[in-house]
Amino acid sequence: MTVALMWEARAAEGRGPELLAWARAQELAGPPLRRETFGAPGDRVLVITWWDAPYEADLPELGSPAQDLLHRPVHRWRFEALDHEPPAQAPG
């Protein structure tokens, strides 16, 4: 089974680059199958990690940076892959 862990935070005013650098520097206890980092307006940072594990597995997650770096608390979600079908090809 594939489990995706999502970690999302919004930086304090003007501190987006610091939050992004913090998230990128975080080491996990064990390598995920995949790890991607995204940014969005409002100095938001999203990190998604994929794991080959059961949904309930105890998996390493990103922590929380210092409170003064954040506009609000970190949000976390866990999802499991429901199917593994390749995307449909465009007609051509």
Side-chain angles (χ1 to χ4, degrees), residues 5 10 15-16 25 34-35 41 47 50 55 61 68 73 88-90:
L5 302 182
R10 182 174 175 199
R15 299 196 63 191
R34 191 165 121 202
R35 176 176 174 163
V47 178
W50 285 262
Y55 185 84
E61 297 192 48
D68 65 330
Q89 292 188 8

Side-chain angles (χ1 to χ4, degrees), residues 3 6 8-9 25 27-29 33 40 43 57 60 65 71 74 76 81 85 88-90:
V3 177
M6 296 176 63
E8 188 267 342
E27 297 284 331
L28 296 170
L33 295 172
D43 287 328
H71 176 75
V74 170
R76 292 179 178 86
E85 294 180 24
Q89 292 188 8

Side-chain angles (χ1 to χ4, degrees), residues 12-90:
E13 184 70 31
R15 299 196 63 191
E18 288 176 75
L19 178 61
L20 177 58
W22 182 92
R24 285 181 168 160
Q26 300 311 295
E27 297 284 331
L28 296 170
L33 295 172
R34 191 165 121 202
R35 176 176 174 163
E36 290 190 58
T37 303
F38 301 86
D43 287 328
R44 290 180 294 140
V45 175
L46 171 68
V47 178
I48 305 174
T49 56
W50 285 262
W51 304 88
D52 181 19
Y55 185 84
E56 304 81 13
D58 185 19
L59 298 170
E61 297 192 48
L62 270 65
S64 293
Q67 279 301 116
D68 65 330
L69 188 56
L70 297 174
H71 176 75
R72 58 163 168 71
V74 170
H75 293 168
R76 292 179 178 86
W77 300 273
R78 182 177 288 225
F79 295 90
E80 65 179 312
L82 300 179
D83 58 43
H84 299 283
E85 294 180 24
Q89 292 188 8

